[in-house]
Amino acid sequence: MRSFLAITKALNDQTRLRTLLALRGGELCLCQLVELFGLAPSTVSKHVNILHEAGLVDRRKEGRWAYFKLAGREAPPAARRAIRWITDCLAGDAVVVGDETKLNCVMEQDLDELCECYS
Amino acid sequence: MRSFLAITKALNDQTRLRTLLALRGGELCLCQLVELFGLAPSTVSKHVNILHEAGLVDRRKEGRWAYFKLAGREAPPAARRAIRWITDCLAGDAVVVGDETKLNCVMEQDLDELCECYS
DNA sequence: GGTATTCTTCGCTACTTGCCGAAGTAACGG
DNA sequence: CCGTTACTTCGGCAAGTAGCGAAGAATACC
């Protein structure tokens, strides 16, 4: 019950739902999510940490960068079903579609340039 | 997105999850849920109202009693999938199994006797 | 009508959460 | 080393939420 509540808690926030949808296309680094959402890095870091604790997102460190992606096969079934549920239900949502568009622009930028902007 | 967030918000509480699981067996009246959870009637009423607003639970008034049950076929697909997801994942949970046991005792009692206890 | 009963709504309190900026880590580059 | 960069953690503030009891609304029973 506790681990399941961690999942529902993680899903109970628009930014975290948008994060999961944004990660459909593959892994992203924190600064890309910061750019996408226009939030403070500390805020986004907290959000992805909650998603990670719930088992919905895997994290990977490479040098200074932290990459996040949707949980893979080894994730608990409840988490994987949650991911399928929300990606199916929100696939055509206006906010999500807007994020896709903006994410395409963000992905075109070099990581170094991107990160210099917000500090 | 807003209606979907109403669902995830509704799921983000242990009592509401337990309510949904308890309603698997059919509709229940508020005083039965009050007895099951040991919470104040006002608190339980608020919880089922949140579930109802999210489209997860249908309500029915009959005389002085209010009956609640899981949303039926006319419910939005996102809600129905949510119900399937949580009932599948929590079916064997310790808290849920305990609720089942207690609910069996509660169901044996007459509604009139039950309600007199808490007022 | 008048009373009792069931549920809902309304204040209220205590706790949680999202947000930010500041400070702290860890890693690359000179 | 030492500064810069990318991220995380901490402290604080505003907003939201679960809990209760009291009051209100609606229905049944005398």
Side-chain angles (χ1 to χ4, degrees), chain A residues 86-109:
Chain A
I86 71 146
T87 50
D88 286 355
C89 291
L90 291 178
D93 183 87
V95 177
V96 173
V97 172
D99 283 347
E100 288 173 19
T101 308
K102 183 161 187 184
L103 188 54
N104 284 334
C105 302
V106 172
M107 300 270 286
E108 287 177 5
Q109 299 181 48

PDB file of all heavy atoms in Angstrom, chain A residues 86-109:
ATOM      1  N   ILE A  86      -1.292   6.701 -17.897  1.00  0.00           N
ATOM      2  CA  ILE A  86      -1.280   8.156 -18.080  1.00  0.00           C
ATOM      3  C   ILE A  86      -0.816   8.541 -19.490  1.00  0.00           C
ATOM      4  O   ILE A  86      -1.313   9.495 -20.061  1.00  0.00           O
ATOM      5  CB  ILE A  86      -0.414   8.868 -17.022  1.00  0.00           C
ATOM      6  CG1 ILE A  86       1.059   8.606 -17.263  1.00  0.00           C
ATOM      7  CG2 ILE A  86      -0.798   8.499 -15.621  1.00  0.00           C
ATOM      8  CD1 ILE A  86       1.887   9.785 -16.898  1.00  0.00           C
ATOM      9  N   THR A  87       0.113   7.789 -20.061  1.00  0.00           N
ATOM     10  CA  THR A  87       0.528   8.152 -21.412  1.00  0.00           C
ATOM     11  C   THR A  87      -0.615   7.937 -22.395  1.00  0.00           C
ATOM     12  O   THR A  87      -0.805   8.733 -23.319  1.00  0.00           O
ATOM     13  CB  THR A  87       1.769   7.344 -21.854  1.00  0.00           C
ATOM     14  OG1 THR A  87       1.548   5.956 -21.608  1.00  0.00           O
ATOM     15  CG2 THR A  87       2.994   7.782 -21.094  1.00  0.00           C
ATOM     16  N   ASP A  88      -1.390   6.875 -22.200  1.00  0.00           N
ATOM     17  CA  ASP A  88      -2.543   6.655 -23.078  1.00  0.00           C
ATOM     18  C   ASP A  88      -3.575   7.769 -22.924  1.00  0.00           C
ATOM     19  O   ASP A  88      -4.068   8.329 -23.909  1.00  0.00           O
ATOM     20  CB  ASP A  88      -3.202   5.300 -22.761  1.00  0.00           C
ATOM     21  CG  ASP A  88      -2.367   4.136 -23.263  1.00  0.00           C
ATOM     22  OD1 ASP A  88      -1.338   4.393 -23.928  1.00  0.00           O
ATOM     23  OD2 ASP A  88      -2.738   2.980 -23.002  1.00  0.00           O
ATOM     24  N   CYS A  89      -3.888   8.101 -21.683  1.00  0.00           N
ATOM     25  CA  CYS A  89      -4.988   9.032 -21.430  1.00  0.00           C
ATOM     26  C   CYS A  89      -4.630  10.469 -21.783  1.00  0.00           C
ATOM     27  O   CYS A  89      -5.498  11.258 -22.153  1.00  0.00           O
ATOM     28  CB  CYS A  89      -5.424   8.958 -19.971  1.00  0.00           C
ATOM     29  SG  CYS A  89      -6.225   7.407 -19.528  1.00  0.00           S
ATOM     30  N   LEU A  90      -3.363  10.830 -21.651  1.00  0.00           N
ATOM     31  CA  LEU A  90      -2.981  12.224 -21.850  1.00  0.00           C
ATOM     32  C   LEU A  90      -2.297  12.467 -23.191  1.00  0.00           C
ATOM     33  O   LEU A  90      -1.849  13.587 -23.456  1.00  0.00           O
ATOM     34  CB  LEU A  90      -2.055  12.679 -20.720  1.00  0.00           C
ATOM     35  CG  LEU A  90      -2.697  12.812 -19.339  1.00  0.00           C
ATOM     36  CD1 LEU A  90      -1.653  13.214 -18.308  1.00  0.00           C
ATOM     37  CD2 LEU A  90      -3.812  13.851 -19.370  1.00  0.00           C
ATOM     38  N   ALA A  91      -2.237  11.450 -24.031  1.00  0.00           N
ATOM     39  CA  ALA A  91      -1.470  11.580 -25.275  1.00  0.00           C
ATOM     40  C   ALA A  91      -1.936  12.773 -26.115  1.00  0.00           C
ATOM     41  O   ALA A  91      -1.130  13.480 -26.707  1.00  0.00           O
ATOM     42  CB  ALA A  91      -1.561  10.292 -26.085  1.00  0.00           C
ATOM     43  N   GLY A  92      -3.229  13.027 -26.164  1.00  0.00           N
ATOM     44  CA  GLY A  92      -3.728  14.110 -27.012  1.00  0.00           C
ATOM     45  C   GLY A  92      -4.024  15.397 -26.280  1.00  0.00           C
ATOM     46  O   GLY A  92      -4.555  16.340 -26.867  1.00  0.00           O
ATOM     47  N   ASP A  93      -3.649  15.456 -25.002  1.00  0.00           N
ATOM     48  CA  ASP A  93      -3.967  16.628 -24.192  1.00  0.00           C
ATOM     49  C   ASP A  93      -3.264  17.883 -24.719  1.00  0.00           C
ATOM     50  O   ASP A  93      -2.142  17.829 -25.225  1.00  0.00           O
ATOM     51  CB  ASP A  93      -3.537  16.354 -22.742  1.00  0.00           C
ATOM     52  CG  ASP A  93      -3.890  17.495 -21.824  1.00  0.00           C
ATOM     53  OD1 ASP A  93      -5.020  17.508 -21.313  1.00  0.00           O
ATOM     54  OD2 ASP A  93      -3.045  18.390 -21.645  1.00  0.00           O
ATOM     55  N   ALA A  94      -3.959  19.020 -24.583  1.00  0.00           N
ATOM     56  CA  ALA A  94      -3.436  20.275 -25.129  1.00  0.00           C
ATOM     57  C   ALA A  94      -2.098  20.649 -24.504  1.00  0.00           C
ATOM     58  O   ALA A  94      -1.150  21.025 -25.207  1.00  0.00           O
ATOM     59  CB  ALA A  94      -4.447  21.400 -24.906  1.00  0.00           C
ATOM     60  N   VAL A  95      -2.012  20.529 -23.191  1.00  0.00           N
ATOM     61  CA  VAL A  95      -0.764  20.882 -22.513  1.00  0.00           C
ATOM     62  C   VAL A  95       0.371  19.983 -22.992  1.00  0.00           C
ATOM     63  O   VAL A  95       1.485  20.444 -23.273  1.00  0.00           O
ATOM     64  CB  VAL A  95      -0.936  20.747 -20.983  1.00  0.00           C
ATOM     65  CG1 VAL A  95       0.369  21.042 -20.267  1.00  0.00           C
ATOM     66  CG2 VAL A  95      -2.037  21.675 -20.489  1.00  0.00           C
ATOM     67  N   VAL A  96       0.078  18.699 -23.122  1.00  0.00           N
ATOM     68  CA  VAL A  96       1.099  17.731 -23.523  1.00  0.00           C
ATOM     69  C   VAL A  96       1.571  18.005 -24.955  1.00  0.00           C
ATOM     70  O   VAL A  96       2.774  17.961 -25.238  1.00  0.00           O
ATOM     71  CB  VAL A  96       0.556  16.298 -23.393  1.00  0.00           C
ATOM     72  CG1 VAL A  96       1.531  15.291 -23.963  1.00  0.00           C
ATOM     73  CG2 VAL A  96       0.267  15.985 -21.930  1.00  0.00           C
ATOM     74  N   VAL A  97       0.633  18.295 -25.822  1.00  0.00           N
ATOM     75  CA  VAL A  97       0.998  18.589 -27.205  1.00  0.00           C
ATOM     76  C   VAL A  97       1.872  19.842 -27.268  1.00  0.00           C
ATOM     77  O   VAL A  97       2.869  19.902 -28.000  1.00  0.00           O
ATOM     78  CB  VAL A  97      -0.272  18.758 -28.072  1.00  0.00           C
ATOM     79  CG1 VAL A  97       0.095  19.266 -29.462  1.00  0.00           C
ATOM     80  CG2 VAL A  97      -1.023  17.434 -28.165  1.00  0.00           C
ATOM     81  N   GLY A  98       1.511  20.839 -26.446  1.00  0.00           N
ATOM     82  CA  GLY A  98       2.336  22.045 -26.375  1.00  0.00           C
ATOM     83  C   GLY A  98       3.741  21.737 -25.907  1.00  0.00           C
ATOM     84  O   GLY A  98       4.718  22.269 -26.448  1.00  0.00           O
ATOM     85  N   ASP A  99       3.835  20.843 -24.929  1.00  0.00           N
ATOM     86  CA  ASP A  99       5.159  20.447 -24.431  1.00  0.00           C
ATOM     87  C   ASP A  99       5.973  19.761 -25.523  1.00  0.00           C
ATOM     88  O   ASP A  99       7.178  19.989 -25.650  1.00  0.00           O
ATOM     89  CB  ASP A  99       5.004  19.507 -23.227  1.00  0.00           C
ATOM     90  CG  ASP A  99       4.625  20.263 -21.965  1.00  0.00           C
ATOM     91  OD1 ASP A  99       4.729  21.504 -21.966  1.00  0.00           O
ATOM     92  OD2 ASP A  99       4.222  19.614 -20.986  1.00  0.00           O
ATOM     93  N   GLU A 100       5.312  18.931 -26.307  1.00  0.00           N
ATOM     94  CA  GLU A 100       6.031  18.248 -27.392  1.00  0.00           C
ATOM     95  C   GLU A 100       6.655  19.262 -28.340  1.00  0.00           C
ATOM     96  O   GLU A 100       7.822  19.139 -28.724  1.00  0.00           O
ATOM     97  CB  GLU A 100       5.065  17.348 -28.177  1.00  0.00           C
ATOM     98  CG  GLU A 100       4.624  16.105 -27.424  1.00  0.00           C
ATOM     99  CD  GLU A 100       3.524  15.350 -28.185  1.00  0.00           C
ATOM    100  OE1 GLU A 100       3.371  15.579 -29.402  1.00  0.00           O
ATOM    101  OE2 GLU A 100       2.808  14.545 -27.540  1.00  0.00           O
ATOM    102  N   THR A 101       5.861  20.253 -28.706  1.00  0.00           N
ATOM    103  CA  THR A 101       6.360  21.276 -29.618  1.00  0.00           C
ATOM    104  C   THR A 101       7.563  21.991 -29.036  1.00  0.00           C
ATOM    105  O   THR A 101       8.608  22.142 -29.682  1.00  0.00           O
ATOM    106  CB  THR A 101       5.247  22.298 -29.911  1.00  0.00           C
ATOM    107  OG1 THR A 101       4.083  21.605 -30.342  1.00  0.00           O
ATOM    108  CG2 THR A 101       5.692  23.278 -30.987  1.00  0.00           C
ATOM    109  N   LYS A 102       7.424  22.422 -27.796  1.00  0.00           N
ATOM    110  CA  LYS A 102       8.513  23.159 -27.168  1.00  0.00           C
ATOM    111  C   LYS A 102       9.739  22.264 -26.972  1.00  0.00           C
ATOM    112  O   LYS A 102      10.875  22.700 -27.132  1.00  0.00           O
ATOM    113  CB  LYS A 102       8.065  23.722 -25.819  1.00  0.00           C
ATOM    114  CG  LYS A 102       9.150  24.555 -25.150  1.00  0.00           C
ATOM    115  CD  LYS A 102       8.616  25.485 -24.086  1.00  0.00           C
ATOM    116  CE  LYS A 102       9.728  26.405 -23.575  1.00  0.00           C
ATOM    117  NZ  LYS A 102       9.289  27.268 -22.470  1.00  0.00           N
ATOM    118  N   LEU A 103       9.473  21.000 -26.665  1.00  0.00           N
ATOM    119  CA  LEU A 103      10.581  20.081 -26.434  1.00  0.00           C
ATOM    120  C   LEU A 103      11.407  19.896 -27.709  1.00  0.00           C
ATOM    121  O   LEU A 103      12.640  19.775 -27.646  1.00  0.00           O
ATOM    122  CB  LEU A 103      10.041  18.723 -25.954  1.00  0.00           C
ATOM    123  CG  LEU A 103      11.067  17.696 -25.483  1.00  0.00           C
ATOM    124  CD1 LEU A 103      11.966  18.279 -24.400  1.00  0.00           C
ATOM    125  CD2 LEU A 103      10.390  16.437 -24.990  1.00  0.00           C
ATOM    126  N   ASN A 104      10.751  19.908 -28.851  1.00  0.00           N
ATOM    127  CA  ASN A 104      11.490  19.799 -30.105  1.00  0.00           C
ATOM    128  C   ASN A 104      12.482  20.943 -30.256  1.00  0.00           C
ATOM    129  O   ASN A 104      13.622  20.742 -30.686  1.00  0.00           O
ATOM    130  CB  ASN A 104      10.511  19.781 -31.284  1.00  0.00           C
ATOM    131  CG  ASN A 104       9.815  18.435 -31.408  1.00  0.00           C
ATOM    132  OD1 ASN A 104      10.353  17.409 -30.987  1.00  0.00           O
ATOM    133  ND2 ASN A 104       8.624  18.443 -31.967  1.00  0.00           N
ATOM    134  N   CYS A 105      12.049  22.150 -29.883  1.00  0.00           N
ATOM    135  CA  CYS A 105      12.964  23.289 -29.944  1.00  0.00           C
ATOM    136  C   CYS A 105      14.105  23.123 -28.953  1.00  0.00           C
ATOM    137  O   CYS A 105      15.266  23.391 -29.266  1.00  0.00           O
ATOM    138  CB  CYS A 105      12.213  24.588 -29.631  1.00  0.00           C
ATOM    139  SG  CYS A 105      10.838  24.917 -30.734  1.00  0.00           S
ATOM    140  N   VAL A 106      13.781  22.675 -27.746  1.00  0.00           N
ATOM    141  CA  VAL A 106      14.794  22.523 -26.705  1.00  0.00           C
ATOM    142  C   VAL A 106      15.841  21.499 -27.121  1.00  0.00           C
ATOM    143  O   VAL A 106      17.043  21.699 -26.927  1.00  0.00           O
ATOM    144  CB  VAL A 106      14.134  22.100 -25.378  1.00  0.00           C
ATOM    145  CG1 VAL A 106      15.177  21.746 -24.336  1.00  0.00           C
ATOM    146  CG2 VAL A 106      13.226  23.211 -24.862  1.00  0.00           C
ATOM    147  N   MET A 107      15.376  20.419 -27.754  1.00  0.00           N
ATOM    148  CA  MET A 107      16.300  19.343 -28.121  1.00  0.00           C
ATOM    149  C   MET A 107      17.293  19.787 -29.191  1.00  0.00           C
ATOM    150  O   MET A 107      18.378  19.204 -29.307  1.00  0.00           O
ATOM    151  CB  MET A 107      15.504  18.139 -28.642  1.00  0.00           C
ATOM    152  CG  MET A 107      14.533  17.580 -27.632  1.00  0.00           C
ATOM    153  SD  MET A 107      15.245  16.306 -26.589  1.00  0.00           S
ATOM    154  CE  MET A 107      15.311  14.933 -27.730  1.00  0.00           C
ATOM    155  N   GLU A 108      16.917  20.803 -29.959  1.00  0.00           N
ATOM    156  CA  GLU A 108      17.819  21.262 -31.012  1.00  0.00           C
ATOM    157  C   GLU A 108      19.010  22.017 -30.450  1.00  0.00           C
ATOM    158  O   GLU A 108      20.041  22.140 -31.099  1.00  0.00           O
ATOM    159  CB  GLU A 108      17.057  22.161 -32.002  1.00  0.00           C
ATOM    160  CG  GLU A 108      16.101  21.375 -32.896  1.00  0.00           C
ATOM    161  CD  GLU A 108      15.317  22.299 -33.814  1.00  0.00           C
ATOM    162  OE1 GLU A 108      15.607  23.510 -33.806  1.00  0.00           O
ATOM    163  OE2 GLU A 108      14.412  21.802 -34.522  1.00  0.00           O
ATOM    164  N   GLN A 109      18.834  22.553 -29.237  1.00  0.00           N
ATOM    165  CA  GLN A 109      19.910  23.344 -28.657  1.00  0.00           C
ATOM    166  C   GLN A 109      20.977  22.439 -28.051  1.00  0.00           C
ATOM    167  O   GLN A 109      20.700  21.339 -27.593  1.00  0.00           O
ATOM    168  CB  GLN A 109      19.358  24.274 -27.564  1.00  0.00           C
ATOM    169  CG  GLN A 109      18.336  25.263 -28.087  1.00  0.00           C
ATOM    170  CD  GLN A 109      17.836  26.169 -26.988  1.00  0.00           C
ATOM    171  OE1 GLN A 109      18.617  26.732 -26.231  1.00  0.00           O
ATOM    172  NE2 GLN A 109      16.521  26.293 -26.887  1.00  0.00           N
TER     173      GLN A 109
END
